[in-house]
Each structure stands twice: as C-alpha cells, then as structure tokens.
Amino acid sequence: MNIRKHWKAWLVGAVAAAIVLVVGVPYAYIHFVEGDQPAALSLNSGTSDSTSTSAVSADGSWKVSSGSQAGYRVHETLAGQSVTAVGRGTGVTGTLAISGTNVTTGSFTVDMTAIKSDRTQRDARFLSIVDTAKFPTATFAVTKPIALGSIPAAGKTMDATATGNLTVHGVTKQISVPIKATRSGDSIKVQGAITVTFADYGVQAPNIASFVKVDPSGQIEFLLTLTK
C-alpha cells in the first residue's frame, strides 16, 4: 500500500514537473531571454542621409540609398506562448521615377538571404522555408501610376496607394499596398507593410508537432530612403 501511494505521488510530481518544463521554460525564454522584438518600421525609423535643408525638384529618377531596409513580421506560438518574430535586412535596391504628381515607374528588389532576426535558429528556418537557395530575392514592380495628388512639402507626410506585382518564392501576385511618404531636403522616405498569406506564394507556414506554429499570414515591412 505504501509503495502504491509513493508511486502515485511520484507520478503526480513527474507530471507537474513536466508541465512546468513545457510551459514555464518557453515562458521564461520568451519573456526574460528573447525580450521584445523591434517596433514596426515607420518614417521615424533610422536617420536621414540628407543634410540639405532645401527640397530638390521631385521630377526625375530616384534610387534606393543607405538607410533602406525590408523584412518580415509574423506571429508564432511556441509551446502555447505568443511570440512576434521579426527579421530585417538592408539589402534593398531599386529606382522610381516621378513626373508631376505621379510616380510613373518603380521597381525594388530585396536580398532575402540577408534578412536576419535575433535568433540563428529562426534565420536557418526562414532560409529553408522561403528556399532562398532557389529564390534569393523578392521584388515589387509598380504596374500603374501612383497618384500622389501633390508633392509634400519638406517634413510633411502624405498617404498614397501603390499597385504592382509582388514576387516572392517565384510566385507573382498583383497587390495594392498603402504607403506613407515624407520629404527631407534631397531625400524621400517611403514606408509600408504588405500583408501576405504564405500559401498564396507557395510557402508552407511552419507547424512543428504543434510546438512551434506560425500563423498562415504575416507582413512584409519596408522603409525606403530615396535620393535623386
């Protein structure tokens, strides 16, 4: 009888210890080790490369310059704990052309292999899922003029909608994305976030034995600093 009681007590203790490990360890890791993820990109993120105080003419060709970045923001569940995963990189190139109050053309490329988070394990999983060995870049190409309405004065922010072809993982979809833009001297900053359903681009959101589960959609964030 005593042996049975001891066995039951040991079993209850083992189960309790397992629950603490399964729930408590991920909780402690997420809240005390991993810490907070970067805030969403905004026009105030980073610093401007421009030191000029007088705005140049908007007409003409503009190119992506230093300070530009792009990446992802997704929601994960790790052993029941909610996590926001963020990865970013500065490998962004591209140009756009402005005529009057319209963006007439624009094309941008992101080096997917250069996107990094705060965890090497997450980065390795990202490279594998997106298959960067086969699809090392993502692109967005404007397919219709972006109507600005008016060119913002220096320091003012304006809203617009960019319509174009987004290519990720070798799959191209036409999308429309809200953007914000501001001018500072001889530079223009453009910020936006594209909501993406991974399956639409042939990407399988990870679900590792229900221990790590990634939502079926996430965001592609970008912040472009353009110079003439």
Side-chain angles (χ1 to χ4, degrees):
M1 184 66 68
N2 289 335
I3 294 176
R4 182 176 296 177
K5 287 182 178 179
H6 286 306
W7 179 83
K8 288 182 177 179
W10 177 88
L11 180 60
V12 171
V15 171
I19 293 173
V20 170
L21 286 173
V22 171
V23 177
V25 171
Y27 180 90
Y29 171 78
I30 292 166
H31 295 279
F32 299 107
V33 178
E34 184 169 78
D36 295 332
Q37 293 294 309
L41 290 173
S42 72
L43 293 176
N44 294 323
S45 301
T47 57
S48 174
D49 292 329
S50 174
T51 57
S52 174
T53 58
S54 59
V56 299
S57 170
D59 278 7
S61 180
W62 296 76
K63 67 177 182 179
V64 174
S65 62
S66 176
S68 300
Q69 54 184 311
Y72 64 83
R73 177 177 294 271
V74 298
H75 176 261
E76 296 179 348
T77 302
L78 174 61
Q81 300 296 317
S82 180
V83 180
T84 297
V86 177
R88 289 177 184 163
T90 57
V92 186
T93 58
T95 61
L96 65 76
I98 297 177
S99 178
T101 59
N102 292 314
V103 175
T104 55
T105 61
S107 180
F108 307 95
T109 299
V110 178
D111 180 1
M112 302 289 276
T113 68
I115 293 178
K116 304 294 183 184
S117 70
D118 60 342
R119 297 294 167 208
T120 56
Q121 299 94 329
R122 181 182 289 137
D123 295 338
R125 191 164 68 240
F126 172 79
L127 294 174
S128 174
I129 293 168
V130 182
D131 194 3
T132 55
K134 188 175 181 180
F135 307 105
T137 62
T139 62
F140 177 78
V142 174
T143 56
K144 63 180 292 186
I146 303 173
L148 303 177
S150 62
I151 302 299
K156 300 296 183 181
T157 300
M158 64 165 300
D159 299 295
T161 299
T163 298
N165 289 331
L166 175 67
T167 301
V168 177
H169 198 242
V171 178
T172 300
K173 300 281 185 181
Q174 186 173 80
I175 65 166
S176 292
V177 53
I179 59 174
K180 293 182 178 293
T182 187
R183 297 183 72 187
S184 176
D186 57 2
S187 71
I188 296 176
K189 294 180 75 172
V190 181
Q191 175 268 328
I194 305 168
T195 299
V196 173
T197 299
F198 303 128
D200 290 346
Y201 293 86
V203 175
Q204 182 66 44
N207 186 350
I208 305 173
S210 297
F211 185 76
V212 177
K213 185 177 181 180
V214 177
D215 284 4
S217 62
Q219 287 191 322
I220 298 175
E221 300 179 318
F222 61 88
L223 176 65
L224 308 176
T225 298
L226 304 163
T227 55
K228 210 165 186 185

